[in-house]
Each structure stands twice: as C-alpha cells, then as structure tokens.
C-alpha cells in the first residue's frame, strides 16, 4: 500500500507488500493534480483506489492508453 496525498495505490498482490512501480506513482500524482484543478472532478476522484496502472499500445498509430 502506498498513499499519495490521500490516494491509495494497492498493488495487485497487496498481501505481498509489493511497492508500487514508478509509473503507478506518476498516475497517482496526475490524478491528484486533476482533483486539485477541477471542482467537478474533486469528489469522484477522491475515492479512487488504484490496484495497478499499465500503459499499453493502441494500434498502428502508436497511440497509448492507460489501464487502471
């Protein structure tokens, strides 16, 4: 478990005490930035818990997606 300013990241295998990866920490920091910059997003994002975050390729255009 890692907590960044109220946002918790629970690794997929929480019982192993795994440390979140750097990418997962970056995603949590960006979620916090969104929460602080938008009154409309503040409430819905406050209760968001991440178990994992992964960036994946989406097709031949080299577009990326983030899976939470």
């Amino acid at each position: 478990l890692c907590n960044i300013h109220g946002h918790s990241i629970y690794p997929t295998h929480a019982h192993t005490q795994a440390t979140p990866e750097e990418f997962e920490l970056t995603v949590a920091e960006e979620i916090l930035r969104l929460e602080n910059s938008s009154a409309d997003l503040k409430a819905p994002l406050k209760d968001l818990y991440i178990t994992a975050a992964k960036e994946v390729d989406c097709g031949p255009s080299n577009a990326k997606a983030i899976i939470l």
Side-chain angles (χ1 to χ4, degrees):
L1 169 66
C2 179
N3 192 303
I4 297 178
H5 305 286
H7 289 283
S8 297
I9 300 174
Y10 291 93
T12 303
H13 301 290
H15 64 280
T16 65
Q17 302 295 324
T19 302
E21 295 180 10
E22 186 67 30
F23 183 72
E24 293 170 325
L25 295 173
T26 301
V27 168
E29 289 169 356
E30 287 301 314
I31 291 170
L32 175 64
R33 186 183 63 76
L34 283 172
E35 180 183 325
N36 290 331
S37 67
S38 172
D40 292 336
L41 294 176
K42 188 169 186 90
L45 291 176
K46 184 169 181 63
D47 295 327
L48 180 66
Y49 289 90
I50 301 170
T51 57
K54 183 176 181 178
E55 186 174 43
V56 295
D57 294 323
C58 295
S61 65
N62 291 330
K64 303 280 186 185
I66 297 173
I67 308 297
L68 300 178

